[in-house]
Amino acid sequence: MLHSMMRKPISAVLLALLALLISMPSAVSASSVKLTESAQTKLSKQISTANYAMKQNLTAQLLSLRTLQQKEDTLDTSIASLHYYNGNAMTALRARITQIDAAKIAKLTQDVAQTKERYKPLFAMYASLNTQIKDAKFLKLKNLAALLQIQADLLKPSTQLARTEIRIKEELLKNAKAATSATIKHLRGKLAETDPLRSQITSVQSVISGTKKNISPVVKTLNETIKANSYEGTLQSLTTLVSITRTIVEQKQRVSTFEARISEITRATNAEIPAK
């Protein structure tokens, strides 16, 4: 009698828990396993008519299913947020990387061009004098050749200094380009660390898709067992759905971990980009 009295309040708790579980909006959730309102109602009625032990088992499996569905919904939200952030961050990073030292290199390039342009008349005059010297010597005009040589000798130091200035500025430009290329290569190498993670995400998503294909047949069987009022059949179907959902949740947790790692890499790479 005592045992019977103790089971009544426990049974009442199970019924209250069952009512709560059935009322949870799984049909509108994003989780993979979905039961229609009609199926939920019929399942609730079947569980309520089960004996105590079966009622415990069915309620426990339903609770596990609802808990896993909530985890899956949370993971889906988290993954979507991370994926959106990572996509935007990657696009912005690639754009920033291409602009590294762009202004500095543009200024050095312009400086080299302007310096060469500034000394063009000097180089032209020096080249012209040397040509005239050759012509004067060819024509045996020694005095003219000597006079022109004096003028060329006077210009020579200036042309040498001009060439040195240009060479120094070209070297500065070359070194700046080399340093920038090395920085860009390093940063792109860091971003490339996300490639295997994305490949793993694709592989895991393929596993998830394959696993989801098993849901529909089990739900169909569940509906049939409910209609046939087969408690063991319903329990087996619920247990299978729990197992499938747990597998999906575990795989989505992996995706979430990969996406989080991608976020870490993009943030670390962004921090290494030199300030303008």
Side-chain angles (χ1 to χ4, degrees), residues 2-265:
L2 180 60
H3 181 65
S4 175
M5 291 174 65
M6 290 177 66
R7 286 176 57 179
K8 286 183 179 180
I10 294 175
S11 181
V13 171
L14 286 175
L15 287 173
L17 177 59
L18 175 61
L20 177 62
L21 292 175
I22 294 300
S23 67
M24 293 173 66
S26 72
V28 296
S29 72
S31 55
S32 301
V33 174
K34 296 180 178 66
L35 299 179
T36 64
E37 290 185 11
S38 174
Q40 291 182 66
T41 300
K42 291 175 182 178
L43 177 60
S44 175
K45 289 180 179 178
Q46 185 186 30
I47 294 176
S48 67
T49 60
N51 62 43
Y52 177 76
M54 180 58 71
K55 188 177 296 181
Q56 272 193 317
N57 290 333
L58 289 170
T59 303
Q61 289 304 311
L62 188 57
L63 176 60
S64 295
L65 180 60
R66 289 290 189 267
T67 300
L68 288 168
Q69 285 177 314
Q70 288 179 339
K71 286 183 180 180
E72 186 183 358
D73 290 345
T74 300
L75 280 168
D76 284 342
T77 301
S78 173
I79 290 169
S81 177
L82 282 169
H83 186 72
Y84 178 79
Y85 167 82
N86 289 340
N88 288 340
M90 190 68 70
T91 299
L93 264 177
R94 294 191 190 283
R96 284 195 67 194
I97 288 173
T98 60
Q99 291 301 310
I100 290 175
D101 290 337
K104 176 183 177 181
I105 290 175
K107 184 177 182 302
L108 289 172
T109 301
Q110 183 182 41
D111 197 17
V112 169
Q114 288 177 342
T115 302
K116 286 181 176 180
E117 189 66 28
R118 187 169 71 250
Y119 287 127
K120 266 186 179 181
L122 174 63
F123 293 144
M125 183 181 295
Y126 186 67
S128 177
L129 283 171
N130 281 303
T131 299
Q132 292 178 59
I133 290 169
K134 288 180 180 178
D135 291 342
K137 286 181 178 180
F138 179 77
L139 296 171
K140 308 296 184 180
L141 302 173
K142 293 183 179 180
N143 290 336
L144 178 59
L147 181 62
L148 292 170
Q149 187 63 57
I150 290 171
Q151 293 181 46
D153 290 343
L154 289 173
L155 280 180
K156 187 174 182 180
S158 296
T159 58
Q160 289 176 333
L161 287 173
R163 288 192 177 95
T164 299
E165 183 180 349
I166 291 171
R167 186 170 63 252
I168 289 172
K169 290 185 176 182
E170 286 178 331
E171 194 68 22
L172 286 173
L173 175 59
K174 178 183 176 182
N175 292 339
K177 284 183 175 180
T180 300
S181 294
T183 299
I184 289 174
K185 182 179 180 180
H186 167 71
L187 293 172
R188 284 176 174 166
K190 293 283 291 182
L191 287 184
E193 294 176 13
T194 65
D195 292 341
L197 294 170
R198 295 184 188 283
S199 295
Q200 290 184 72
I201 287 173
T202 300
S203 297
V204 172
Q205 286 175 334
S206 178
V207 172
I208 292 172
S209 296
T211 304
K212 284 183 175 182
K213 291 178 181 179
N214 298 320
I215 294 174
S216 182
V218 178
V219 170
K220 181 179 179 181
T221 300
L222 174 64
N223 289 330
E224 290 172 352
T225 59
I226 292 173
K227 185 177 180 180
N229 202 32
S230 171
Y231 298 110
E232 290 292 343
T234 299
L235 179 60
Q236 181 59 50
S237 294
L238 284 176
T239 302
T240 302
L241 288 176
V242 167
S243 177
I244 291 172
T245 306
R246 181 175 290 110
T247 298
I248 291 172
V249 167
E250 288 171 353
Q251 295 303 316
K252 287 188 176 184
Q253 284 173 333
R254 292 183 65 200
V255 172
S256 180
T257 299
F258 294 145
E259 289 285 5
R261 178 58 186 145
I262 290 173
S263 295
E264 292 173 3
I265 292 172

